[in-house]
mmCIF file of all heavy atoms in Angstrom:
data_model
loop_
_atom_site.group_PDB
_atom_site.id
_atom_site.type_symbol
_atom_site.label_atom_id
_atom_site.label_comp_id
_atom_site.label_asym_id
_atom_site.label_seq_id
_atom_site.Cartn_x
_atom_site.Cartn_y
_atom_site.Cartn_z
ATOM 1 N N LEU M 73 7.372 -30.055 12.451
ATOM 2 C CA LEU M 73 8.164 -29.204 11.559
ATOM 3 C C LEU M 73 9.517 -28.999 12.210
ATOM 4 O O LEU M 73 10.602 -29.002 11.546
ATOM 5 C CB LEU M 73 7.502 -27.976 11.217
ATOM 6 C CG LEU M 73 6.279 -28.032 10.306
ATOM 7 C CD1 LEU M 73 5.527 -26.733 10.191
ATOM 8 C CD2 LEU M 73 6.691 -28.606 8.930
ATOM 9 N N ALA M 74 9.475 -28.600 13.469
ATOM 10 C CA ALA M 74 10.730 -28.392 14.129
ATOM 11 C C ALA M 74 11.656 -29.609 14.111
ATOM 12 O O ALA M 74 12.843 -29.558 13.972
ATOM 13 C CB ALA M 74 10.558 -27.924 15.624
ATOM 14 N N ALA M 75 11.059 -30.800 14.396
ATOM 15 C CA ALA M 75 11.867 -32.037 14.287
ATOM 16 C C ALA M 75 12.460 -32.273 12.910
ATOM 17 O O ALA M 75 13.504 -32.821 12.808
ATOM 18 C CB ALA M 75 10.947 -33.173 14.797
ATOM 19 N N GLN M 76 11.732 -31.902 11.861
ATOM 20 C CA GLN M 76 12.255 -32.051 10.591
ATOM 21 C C GLN M 76 13.371 -31.139 10.192
ATOM 22 O O GLN M 76 14.346 -31.444 9.394
ATOM 23 C CB GLN M 76 11.103 -32.010 9.519
ATOM 24 C CG GLN M 76 10.007 -33.054 9.708
ATOM 25 C CD GLN M 76 8.824 -32.896 8.658
ATOM 26 O OE1 GLN M 76 8.691 -31.867 8.143
ATOM 27 N NE2 GLN M 76 8.115 -33.998 8.566
ATOM 28 N N VAL M 77 13.230 -29.806 10.664
ATOM 29 C CA VAL M 77 14.155 -28.818 10.306
ATOM 30 C C VAL M 77 15.409 -28.906 11.226
ATOM 31 O O VAL M 77 16.502 -28.573 10.804
ATOM 32 C CB VAL M 77 13.526 -27.432 10.583
ATOM 33 C CG1 VAL M 77 14.519 -26.340 10.357
ATOM 34 C CG2 VAL M 77 12.375 -27.293 9.480
ATOM 35 N N ARG M 78 15.279 -29.299 12.435
ATOM 36 C CA ARG M 78 16.377 -29.397 13.469
ATOM 37 C C ARG M 78 17.670 -29.926 13.015
ATOM 38 O O ARG M 78 18.689 -29.319 13.160
ATOM 39 C CB ARG M 78 15.917 -29.941 14.768
ATOM 40 C CG ARG M 78 16.910 -29.755 16.051
ATOM 41 C CD ARG M 78 16.292 -30.282 17.313
ATOM 42 N NE ARG M 78 15.141 -29.648 17.664
ATOM 43 C CZ ARG M 78 13.908 -30.236 17.629
ATOM 44 N NH1 ARG M 78 13.774 -31.523 17.383
ATOM 45 N NH2 ARG M 78 12.794 -29.536 18.081
ATOM 46 N N PRO M 79 17.545 -31.093 12.333
ATOM 47 C CA PRO M 79 18.861 -31.682 11.880
ATOM 48 C C PRO M 79 19.659 -30.779 10.845
ATOM 49 O O PRO M 79 20.878 -30.970 10.803
ATOM 50 C CB PRO M 79 18.403 -32.936 11.226
ATOM 51 C CG PRO M 79 17.168 -33.320 11.785
ATOM 52 C CD PRO M 79 16.501 -32.026 12.052
ATOM 53 N N TYR M 80 18.961 -29.933 10.254
ATOM 54 C CA TYR M 80 19.621 -29.041 9.187
ATOM 55 C C TYR M 80 20.003 -27.664 9.720
ATOM 56 O O TYR M 80 20.610 -26.901 9.117
ATOM 57 C CB TYR M 80 18.701 -28.851 7.994
ATOM 58 C CG TYR M 80 18.292 -30.177 7.373
ATOM 59 C CD1 TYR M 80 17.065 -30.723 7.556
ATOM 60 C CD2 TYR M 80 19.214 -30.825 6.531
ATOM 61 C CE1 TYR M 80 16.723 -31.852 6.946
ATOM 62 C CE2 TYR M 80 18.840 -32.080 5.982
ATOM 63 C CZ TYR M 80 17.653 -32.639 6.233
ATOM 64 O OH TYR M 80 17.201 -33.819 5.682
ATOM 65 N N ALA M 81 19.598 -27.410 11.001
ATOM 66 C CA ALA M 81 19.925 -26.188 11.607
ATOM 67 C C ALA M 81 21.357 -25.808 11.624
ATOM 68 O O ALA M 81 21.733 -24.609 11.316
ATOM 69 C CB ALA M 81 19.214 -26.047 13.056
ATOM 70 N N PRO M 82 22.243 -26.676 11.986
ATOM 71 C CA PRO M 82 23.626 -26.325 11.954
ATOM 72 C C PRO M 82 24.204 -26.018 10.566
ATOM 73 O O PRO M 82 24.992 -25.054 10.383
ATOM 74 C CB PRO M 82 24.368 -27.671 12.406
ATOM 75 C CG PRO M 82 23.305 -28.319 13.310
ATOM 76 C CD PRO M 82 22.022 -27.995 12.611
ATOM 77 N N ASP M 83 23.597 -26.712 9.565
ATOM 78 C CA ASP M 83 24.074 -26.439 8.206
ATOM 79 C C ASP M 83 23.547 -25.009 7.820
ATOM 80 O O ASP M 83 24.308 -24.220 7.159
ATOM 81 C CB ASP M 83 23.426 -27.372 7.221
ATOM 82 C CG ASP M 83 23.968 -28.778 7.379
ATOM 83 O OD1 ASP M 83 25.095 -28.981 7.809
ATOM 84 O OD2 ASP M 83 23.214 -29.774 7.144
ATOM 85 N N LEU M 84 22.386 -24.623 8.192
ATOM 86 C CA LEU M 84 21.849 -23.363 7.851
ATOM 87 C C LEU M 84 22.661 -22.279 8.627
ATOM 88 O O LEU M 84 22.987 -21.196 8.036
ATOM 89 C CB LEU M 84 20.398 -23.251 8.279
ATOM 90 C CG LEU M 84 19.645 -21.909 8.207
ATOM 91 C CD1 LEU M 84 19.729 -21.459 6.722
ATOM 92 C CD2 LEU M 84 18.247 -21.881 8.677
ATOM 93 N N ALA M 85 23.093 -22.545 9.811
ATOM 94 C CA ALA M 85 23.861 -21.563 10.562
ATOM 95 C C ALA M 85 25.244 -21.323 9.898
ATOM 96 O O ALA M 85 25.704 -20.169 9.812
ATOM 97 C CB ALA M 85 24.034 -22.057 11.994
ATOM 98 N N ILE M 86 25.852 -22.332 9.495
ATOM 99 C CA ILE M 86 27.128 -22.195 8.821
ATOM 100 C C ILE M 86 26.954 -21.488 7.517
ATOM 101 O O ILE M 86 27.693 -20.590 7.092
ATOM 102 C CB ILE M 86 27.724 -23.559 8.612
ATOM 103 C CG1 ILE M 86 28.152 -24.257 9.900
ATOM 104 C CG2 ILE M 86 29.046 -23.559 7.625
ATOM 105 C CD1 ILE M 86 28.635 -25.616 9.750
ATOM 106 N N CYS M 87 25.827 -21.712 6.799
ATOM 107 C CA CYS M 87 25.660 -20.972 5.479
ATOM 108 C C CYS M 87 25.442 -19.481 5.764
ATOM 109 O O CYS M 87 25.900 -18.626 5.103
ATOM 110 C CB CYS M 87 24.440 -21.485 4.756
ATOM 111 S SG CYS M 87 24.662 -23.218 4.053
ATOM 112 N N LEU M 88 24.678 -19.266 6.900
ATOM 113 C CA LEU M 88 24.475 -17.734 7.246
ATOM 114 C C LEU M 88 25.840 -17.143 7.630
ATOM 115 O O LEU M 88 26.009 -15.872 7.480
ATOM 116 C CB LEU M 88 23.466 -17.685 8.369
ATOM 117 C CG LEU M 88 21.982 -18.075 8.005
ATOM 118 C CD1 LEU M 88 21.125 -18.037 9.221
ATOM 119 C CD2 LEU M 88 21.530 -17.180 6.845
ATOM 120 N N VAL M 89 26.718 -17.927 8.256
ATOM 121 C CA VAL M 89 27.998 -17.389 8.598
ATOM 122 C C VAL M 89 28.790 -16.974 7.324
ATOM 123 O O VAL M 89 29.351 -15.892 7.237
ATOM 124 C CB VAL M 89 28.799 -18.343 9.383
ATOM 125 C CG1 VAL M 89 30.327 -17.958 9.466
ATOM 126 C CG2 VAL M 89 28.245 -18.481 10.785
ATOM 127 N N PHE M 90 28.690 -17.841 6.341
ATOM 128 C CA PHE M 90 29.260 -17.382 5.061
ATOM 129 C C PHE M 90 28.755 -16.235 4.403
ATOM 130 O O PHE M 90 29.433 -15.361 3.817
ATOM 131 C CB PHE M 90 29.212 -18.617 4.112
ATOM 132 C CG PHE M 90 30.066 -19.845 4.496
ATOM 133 C CD1 PHE M 90 29.698 -21.125 4.240
ATOM 134 C CD2 PHE M 90 31.256 -19.569 5.041
ATOM 135 C CE1 PHE M 90 30.481 -22.268 4.601
ATOM 136 C CE2 PHE M 90 32.151 -20.626 5.374
ATOM 137 C CZ PHE M 90 31.731 -21.971 5.210
ATOM 138 N N VAL M 91 27.437 -16.058 4.517
ATOM 139 C CA VAL M 91 26.759 -14.942 3.962
ATOM 140 C C VAL M 91 27.150 -13.653 4.648
ATOM 141 O O VAL M 91 27.397 -12.629 4.044
ATOM 142 C CB VAL M 91 25.236 -15.130 4.015
ATOM 143 C CG1 VAL M 91 24.518 -13.861 3.613
ATOM 144 C CG2 VAL M 91 24.734 -16.261 3.115
ATOM 145 N N ALA M 92 27.264 -13.783 5.952
ATOM 146 C CA ALA M 92 27.644 -12.657 6.841
ATOM 147 C C ALA M 92 29.093 -12.314 6.462
ATOM 148 O O ALA M 92 29.489 -11.057 6.452
ATOM 149 C CB ALA M 92 27.480 -12.979 8.333
ATOM 150 N N LEU M 93 29.982 -13.194 6.316
ATOM 151 C CA LEU M 93 31.333 -12.992 6.002
ATOM 152 C C LEU M 93 31.490 -12.266 4.610
ATOM 153 O O LEU M 93 32.345 -11.456 4.384
ATOM 154 C CB LEU M 93 32.207 -14.337 5.934
ATOM 155 C CG LEU M 93 33.670 -14.285 5.835
ATOM 156 C CD1 LEU M 93 34.325 -13.300 6.793
ATOM 157 C CD2 LEU M 93 34.353 -15.600 5.876
ATOM 158 N N ALA M 94 30.638 -12.675 3.609
ATOM 159 C CA ALA M 94 30.613 -12.107 2.278
ATOM 160 C C ALA M 94 30.253 -10.670 2.438
ATOM 161 O O ALA M 94 30.780 -9.717 1.782
ATOM 162 C CB ALA M 94 29.743 -12.901 1.324
ATOM 163 N N GLY M 95 29.215 -10.453 3.355
ATOM 164 C CA GLY M 95 28.830 -9.057 3.636
ATOM 165 C C GLY M 95 29.895 -8.280 4.222
ATOM 166 O O GLY M 95 30.080 -7.056 3.869
ATOM 167 N N TRP M 96 30.697 -8.916 5.030
ATOM 168 C CA TRP M 96 31.753 -8.176 5.676
ATOM 169 C C TRP M 96 32.826 -7.741 4.597
ATOM 170 O O TRP M 96 33.359 -6.601 4.641
ATOM 171 C CB TRP M 96 32.374 -9.008 6.841
ATOM 172 C CG TRP M 96 33.849 -8.780 7.188
ATOM 173 C CD1 TRP M 96 34.901 -9.424 6.752
ATOM 174 C CD2 TRP M 96 34.309 -7.757 7.997
ATOM 175 N NE1 TRP M 96 36.022 -8.940 7.239
ATOM 176 C CE2 TRP M 96 35.696 -7.890 8.003
ATOM 177 C CE3 TRP M 96 33.696 -6.756 8.718
ATOM 178 C CZ2 TRP M 96 36.542 -7.036 8.776
ATOM 179 C CZ3 TRP M 96 34.551 -5.912 9.563
ATOM 180 C CH2 TRP M 96 35.889 -6.055 9.507
ATOM 181 N N VAL M 97 33.216 -8.687 3.703
ATOM 182 C CA VAL M 97 34.244 -8.373 2.725
ATOM 183 C C VAL M 97 33.770 -7.202 1.844
ATOM 184 O O VAL M 97 34.599 -6.435 1.401
ATOM 185 C CB VAL M 97 34.543 -9.652 1.985
ATOM 186 C CG1 VAL M 97 35.500 -9.449 0.875
ATOM 187 C CG2 VAL M 97 35.172 -10.640 2.910
ATOM 188 N N THR M 98 32.522 -7.249 1.456
ATOM 189 C CA THR M 98 31.974 -6.282 0.507
ATOM 190 C C THR M 98 31.250 -5.203 1.053
ATOM 191 O O THR M 98 30.567 -4.401 0.362
ATOM 192 C CB THR M 98 31.137 -6.982 -0.556
ATOM 193 O OG1 THR M 98 30.013 -7.659 0.087
ATOM 194 C CG2 THR M 98 31.951 -8.127 -1.299
ATOM 195 N N HIS M 99 31.329 -4.949 2.352
ATOM 196 C CA HIS M 99 30.395 -3.959 3.120
ATOM 197 C C HIS M 99 30.709 -2.569 2.607
ATOM 198 O O HIS M 99 29.788 -1.665 2.785
ATOM 199 C CB HIS M 99 30.390 -4.113 4.624
ATOM 200 C CG HIS M 99 31.496 -3.455 5.259
ATOM 201 N ND1 HIS M 99 32.707 -4.081 5.523
ATOM 202 C CD2 HIS M 99 31.658 -2.123 5.608
ATOM 203 C CE1 HIS M 99 33.574 -3.166 6.152
ATOM 204 N NE2 HIS M 99 32.959 -2.034 6.142
ATOM 205 N N GLY M 100 31.844 -2.324 2.071
ATOM 206 C CA GLY M 100 32.130 -0.952 1.578
ATOM 207 C C GLY M 100 31.249 -0.479 0.475
ATOM 208 O O GLY M 100 31.136 0.676 0.190
ATOM 209 N N LEU M 101 30.668 -1.529 -0.239
ATOM 210 C CA LEU M 101 29.704 -1.126 -1.312
ATOM 211 C C LEU M 101 28.404 -0.805 -0.901
ATOM 212 O O LEU M 101 27.617 -0.364 -1.656
ATOM 213 C CB LEU M 101 29.695 -2.192 -2.405
ATOM 214 C CG LEU M 101 31.007 -2.494 -3.157
ATOM 215 C CD1 LEU M 101 30.829 -3.702 -4.013
ATOM 216 C CD2 LEU M 101 31.419 -1.300 -3.964
ATOM 217 N N TRP M 102 28.157 -1.143 0.415
ATOM 218 C CA TRP M 102 26.779 -0.913 0.910
ATOM 219 C C TRP M 102 26.847 0.188 1.965
ATOM 220 O O TRP M 102 27.824 0.500 2.596
ATOM 221 C CB TRP M 102 26.240 -2.215 1.674
ATOM 222 C CG TRP M 102 26.232 -3.391 0.612
ATOM 223 C CD1 TRP M 102 27.160 -4.323 0.410
ATOM 224 C CD2 TRP M 102 25.118 -3.661 -0.371
ATOM 225 N NE1 TRP M 102 26.809 -5.209 -0.601
ATOM 226 C CE2 TRP M 102 25.590 -4.823 -1.090
ATOM 227 C CE3 TRP M 102 23.961 -3.069 -0.715
ATOM 228 C CZ2 TRP M 102 24.800 -5.346 -2.091
ATOM 229 C CZ3 TRP M 102 23.203 -3.670 -1.673
ATOM 230 C CH2 TRP M 102 23.712 -4.769 -2.366
ATOM 231 N N PRO M 103 25.664 0.791 2.283
ATOM 232 C CA PRO M 103 24.331 0.556 1.726
ATOM 233 C C PRO M 103 23.975 1.396 0.440
ATOM 234 O O PRO M 103 22.849 1.482 0.063
ATOM 235 C CB PRO M 103 23.439 1.010 2.894
ATOM 236 C CG PRO M 103 24.172 2.139 3.458
ATOM 237 C CD PRO M 103 25.630 1.782 3.389
ATOM 238 N N ASP M 104 25.049 1.948 -0.122
ATOM 239 C CA ASP M 104 24.802 2.769 -1.347
ATOM 240 C C ASP M 104 25.732 2.346 -2.516
ATOM 241 O O ASP M 104 26.704 2.961 -2.857
ATOM 242 C CB ASP M 104 25.100 4.238 -0.954
ATOM 243 C CG ASP M 104 24.885 5.204 -2.169
ATOM 244 O OD1 ASP M 104 24.138 4.728 -3.094
ATOM 245 O OD2 ASP M 104 25.351 6.333 -2.170
ATOM 246 N N PRO M 105 25.359 1.222 -3.118
ATOM 247 C CA PRO M 105 26.260 0.729 -4.241
ATOM 248 C C PRO M 105 26.368 1.859 -5.369
ATOM 249 O O PRO M 105 27.464 1.820 -6.053
ATOM 250 C CB PRO M 105 25.518 -0.525 -4.783
ATOM 251 C CG PRO M 105 24.716 -0.990 -3.632
ATOM 252 C CD PRO M 105 24.238 0.345 -2.922
ATOM 253 N N GLY M 106 25.355 2.542 -5.662
ATOM 254 C CA GLY M 106 25.450 3.612 -6.681
ATOM 255 C C GLY M 106 26.401 4.782 -6.278
ATOM 256 O O GLY M 106 26.781 5.500 -7.150
ATOM 257 N N GLY M 107 26.744 4.886 -5.015
ATOM 258 C CA GLY M 107 27.673 5.989 -4.602
ATOM 259 C C GLY M 107 29.026 5.477 -4.197
ATOM 260 O O GLY M 107 29.792 6.272 -3.797
ATOM 261 N N ARG M 108 29.223 4.207 -4.217
ATOM 262 C CA ARG M 108 30.637 3.630 -3.862
ATOM 263 C C ARG M 108 31.069 2.734 -5.007
ATOM 264 O O ARG M 108 30.352 2.158 -5.803
ATOM 265 C CB ARG M 108 30.422 2.734 -2.586
ATOM 266 C CG ARG M 108 29.856 3.417 -1.478
ATOM 267 C CD ARG M 108 30.650 4.487 -0.777
ATOM 268 N NE ARG M 108 31.890 3.886 -0.228
ATOM 269 C CZ ARG M 108 33.023 4.594 0.247
ATOM 270 N NH1 ARG M 108 32.965 5.886 0.139
ATOM 271 N NH2 ARG M 108 34.041 4.005 0.774
ATOM 272 N N VAL M 109 32.405 2.631 -5.051
ATOM 273 C CA VAL M 109 33.073 1.784 -6.025
ATOM 274 C C VAL M 109 34.351 1.178 -5.430
ATOM 275 O O VAL M 109 34.900 1.696 -4.496
ATOM 276 C CB VAL M 109 33.453 2.665 -7.296
ATOM 277 C CG1 VAL M 109 34.553 3.683 -6.826
ATOM 278 C CG2 VAL M 109 33.888 1.870 -8.482
ATOM 279 N N LEU M 110 34.731 0.021 -6.011
ATOM 280 C CA LEU M 110 35.896 -0.638 -5.462
ATOM 281 C C LEU M 110 37.113 0.225 -5.764
ATOM 282 O O LEU M 110 37.386 0.630 -6.974
ATOM 283 C CB LEU M 110 36.189 -2.014 -6.113
ATOM 284 C CG LEU M 110 35.016 -3.062 -5.806
ATOM 285 C CD1 LEU M 110 35.324 -4.277 -6.593
ATOM 286 C CD2 LEU M 110 35.186 -3.457 -4.324
ATOM 287 N N ALA M 111 37.968 0.557 -4.710
ATOM 288 C CA ALA M 111 38.990 1.539 -4.845
ATOM 289 C C ALA M 111 40.185 0.966 -5.598
ATOM 290 O O ALA M 111 40.925 1.828 -6.251
ATOM 291 C CB ALA M 111 39.404 2.064 -3.460
ATOM 292 N N LEU M 112 40.425 -0.344 -5.494
ATOM 293 C CA LEU M 112 41.721 -0.811 -6.096
ATOM 294 C C LEU M 112 41.569 -1.169 -7.544
ATOM 295 O O LEU M 112 42.531 -1.291 -8.268
ATOM 296 C CB LEU M 112 42.082 -2.112 -5.352
ATOM 297 C CG LEU M 112 42.402 -1.910 -3.870
ATOM 298 C CD1 LEU M 112 42.840 -3.181 -3.193
ATOM 299 C CD2 LEU M 112 43.494 -0.860 -3.597
ATOM 300 N N ASN M 113 40.368 -1.250 -8.048
ATOM 301 C CA ASN M 113 40.221 -1.654 -9.457
ATOM 302 C C ASN M 113 38.938 -1.083 -10.101
ATOM 303 O O ASN M 113 38.115 -1.826 -10.678
ATOM 304 C CB ASN M 113 40.146 -3.203 -9.651
ATOM 305 C CG ASN M 113 40.724 -3.708 -10.940
ATOM 306 O OD1 ASN M 113 41.127 -2.884 -11.717
ATOM 307 N ND2 ASN M 113 40.631 -5.074 -11.178
ATOM 308 N N PRO M 114 38.753 0.226 -10.022
ATOM 309 C CA PRO M 114 37.456 0.850 -10.582
ATOM 310 C C PRO M 114 37.275 0.645 -12.007
ATOM 311 O O PRO M 114 36.204 0.718 -12.467
ATOM 312 C CB PRO M 114 37.694 2.317 -10.093
ATOM 313 C CG PRO M 114 39.106 2.576 -10.046
ATOM 314 C CD PRO M 114 39.716 1.227 -9.507
ATOM 315 N N GLU M 115 38.378 0.607 -12.721
ATOM 316 C CA GLU M 115 38.276 0.438 -14.229
ATOM 317 C C GLU M 115 37.602 -0.913 -14.631
ATOM 318 O O GLU M 115 36.658 -0.842 -15.419
ATOM 319 C CB GLU M 115 39.679 0.488 -14.831
ATOM 320 C CG GLU M 115 40.476 1.720 -14.686
ATOM 321 C CD GLU M 115 41.233 1.757 -13.392
ATOM 322 O OE1 GLU M 115 41.061 0.759 -12.681
ATOM 323 O OE2 GLU M 115 42.057 2.773 -13.162
#
């Protein structure tokens, strides 16, 4: 299984970087989306 997954590990790592970056950009809404709102365009 490790041999089958290993070739795709770098792809998975890059995808996780993108997920983490998306979390960084939107982290102001977390961990309480019901209590936070985008400040520049709440309408």
Side-chain angles (χ1 to χ4, degrees):
L73 288 174
Q76 293 175 347
V77 172
R78 190 176 297 113
Y80 304 101
D83 295 330
L84 177 61
I86 291 174
C87 292
L88 291 176
V89 168
F90 289 145
V91 172
L93 186 54
W96 156 259
V97 173
T98 61
H99 83 264
L101 295 174
W102 301 98
D104 182 21
R108 304 291 293 175
V109 67
L110 293 173
L112 299 180
N113 208 3
E115 297 87 355

